[in-house]
Amino acid sequence: MDPFDAGAGGILRQPKAVWATAGASVVAFMGIGLVDPILPSIAKGLDASAGQVSLLFTSYFLITALAMLVTGFVSSRIGGRKTLLLGLAFVVVFAGLAGTSDTVGQLVGYRAGWGLGNALFVSTALAVIVGAAAGGSAAAILLYESALGLGMACGPLLGALLGDASWRYPFFGTAFLMAIGFLCITVFLKEQPRPARKTSLLDPIRALGHGGLASAAVSAFFYNYTFFTVLAFTPFVLNMTPYKSGAVFFAWGVLLAVFSVLVAPRMQKRFGSLKVLGGSLVLLAADVLALGYGNHTAAIVCTILSGAFIGVNNTVYTELALGVSDAPRPVASAGYNFVRWFAAAAAPYFAPKIEEWTDIHIPFVVAAITAVLGAVVVLVRRRALTHEAAELETAHATEDGVTVFAN
């Protein structure tokens, strides 16, 4: 069945509960790139350095990584609907508080609370969408991936539009939109069946004992360092107005969405997942080097172009993480994300520090090296990454417990 079919079970014919959850997912993913265009404005408004403002990403993703150990524990006990609402409530409160910050320390702290809420929400949203969807999981997963891409594209645009008036407005805007999402899920989403077995706090760590999953997580760790060097450090290099920076990252997000949802699956089918991933990581490394050493126009072009490679990588890594392990998908994904999100926390902190210690080019050299290291892990551990995948594919095809912000 074509998931784009407008008939029953197609992506366009889903229950209101699915659309409510998908809509809230768009806003949740918008929160990642929302601050990109306004990072220089925040630094100016709070009299902070680039390194201090970059901690907005570090605190957010550090808490997100740690929260991956507890999201399954929580959702398997209180249910998917309550977990979504709890996560949304956290985002509404802390995004709103972020807009009231008087110091960069307060803002960083509120972003940490926001990260906890986002982790609770996005780690549960895909499983809820699949459980509530009509016509099987294919259309539901595609809808979720589309929501992710749309959110990543629109986040910088919203940040630019609202941030041009004041850096505080994007935070208030996010709180308002998430409050609407909270109301929609309250009204339209019924409680989903709870898993037969409750997830323990250590289950994601135990899942990493599987060689294939551990290899995917380590490779994704290196890749995510590159990804978030581009996302968190490049706005300071471009040094543009919120509108112009928002336009650049909107174009970046559009490429990310298109290549993640439409291009990557076709490339995987033709060339195989590992070849596509290895090649895309090497091309991303070359793109990041050109970004760091080119002139201003080249930096803009390479920033936008990186969205294509990032979109491909996101899709392939998701499938590797969810397909290579013999652990339940939510548990395997939690362990995988626990490892890789630490790089998303590290890159925004270290990139400005490396610039202070050296010059503006070297953070991109480091980012290029980490992308290549990700490709090296894929090459060296290719047997572990493909072992049992074919056998597990059939078992996972009927499993609805998928998760989670792997992109």
Side-chain angles (χ1 to χ4, degrees):
M1 181 188 72
D2 183 357
F4 286 103
D5 188 356
I11 191 173
L12 300 179
R13 296 294 297 272
Q14 294 295 330
K16 292 180 180 178
V18 172
W19 286 111
T21 307
S25 297
V26 172
V27 182
F29 292 122
M30 285 170 60
I32 297 175
L34 179 82
V35 299
D36 258 32
I38 57 172
L39 285 175
S41 298
I42 294 173
K44 183 177 180 180
L46 295 179
D47 193 24
S49 67
Q52 289 174 316
V53 173
S54 293
L55 291 175
L56 293 174
F57 285 98
T58 297
S59 63
Y60 182 92
F61 286 111
L62 181 61
I63 296 301
T64 297
L66 294 173
M68 286 301 162
L69 298 181
V70 303
T71 52
F73 178 89
V74 172
S75 63
S76 65
R77 285 162 174 77
I78 68 174
R81 180 176 181 272
K82 291 180 180 176
T83 304
L84 290 180
L85 293 175
L86 180 63
L88 287 170
F90 269 103
V91 174
V92 170
V93 170
F94 284 103
L97 288 173
T100 68
S101 301
D102 294 320
T103 67
V104 70
Q106 289 179 352
L107 186 54
V108 169
Y110 292 143
R111 277 282 285 184
W114 185 344
L116 174 60
N118 225 44
L120 288 168
F121 178 84
V122 300
S123 65
T124 311
L126 180 53
V128 169
I129 288 175
V130 170
S137 63
I141 293 174
L142 183 60
L143 180 61
Y144 179 85
E145 292 285 345
S146 300
L148 186 152
L150 183 61
M152 293 291 284
C154 292
L157 192 61
L158 178 67
L161 292 175
L162 297 179
D164 189 60
S166 170
W167 65 263
R168 300 180 186 273
Y169 290 169
F171 298 108
F172 295 139
T174 299
F176 175 74
L177 291 173
M178 279 305 220
I180 294 176
F182 185 97
L183 293 175
C184 289
I185 289 177
T186 300
V187 172
F188 295 118
L189 181 64
K190 297 180 180 179
E191 185 55 83
Q192 305 297 297
R194 300 183 189 182
R197 176 181 174 274
K198 293 180 179 179
T199 302
S200 78
L201 293 175
L202 294 179
D203 280 350
I205 300 296
R206 295 190 184 103
L208 290 170
H210 186 281
L213 182 63
S215 300
V218 171
S219 179
F221 174 89
F222 288 122
Y223 156 65
N224 268 258
Y225 186 95
T226 308
F227 178 176
F228 285 93
T229 297
V230 174
L231 193 62
F233 184 65
T234 302
F236 293 104
V237 176
L238 297 180
N239 194 26
M240 302 165 75
T241 65
Y243 273 130
K244 291 181 179 179
S245 183
V248 168
F249 280 96
F250 174 72
W252 169 87
V254 169
L255 278 186
L256 187 154
V258 169
F259 275 75
S260 177
V261 176
L262 300 178
V263 178
R266 290 169 171 80
M267 293 179 65
Q268 288 175 272
K269 185 176 180 180
R270 181 171 181 180
F271 300 108
S273 294
L274 297 188
K275 289 182 179 179
V276 170
L277 181 59
S280 181
L281 286 168
V282 171
L283 290 173
L284 178 61
D287 180 78
V288 169
L289 277 179
L291 194 165
Y293 281 94
N295 59 25
H296 193 260
T297 300
I300 292 173
V301 172
C302 290
T303 299
I304 295 171
L305 184 60
S306 70
F309 306 125
I310 289 170
V312 171
N313 294 338
N314 286 348
T315 295
V316 180
Y317 273 120
T318 299
E319 295 189 8
L320 284 179
L322 299 184
V324 74
S325 173
D326 53 0
R329 275 177 164 170
V331 174
S333 184
Y336 161 78
N337 282 292
F338 171 71
V339 173
R340 78 186 189 100
W341 285 125
F342 277 109
Y349 174 79
F350 284 111
K353 291 292 184 182
I354 293 171
E355 182 197 8
E356 292 176 10
W357 299 332
T358 56
D359 60 53
I360 199 169
H361 306 297
I362 303 303
F364 295 102
V365 174
V366 174
I369 291 172
T370 55
V372 172
L373 287 175
V376 169
V377 173
V378 171
L379 176 64
V380 173
R381 297 289 295 168
R382 60 189 180 280
R383 292 187 182 274
L385 288 168
T386 55
H387 182 60
E388 299 179 3
E391 297 177 13
L392 289 169
E393 184 176 353
T394 301
H396 283 324
T398 57
E399 182 184 345
D400 284 340
V402 286
T403 173
V404 60
F405 194 21
N407 288 311

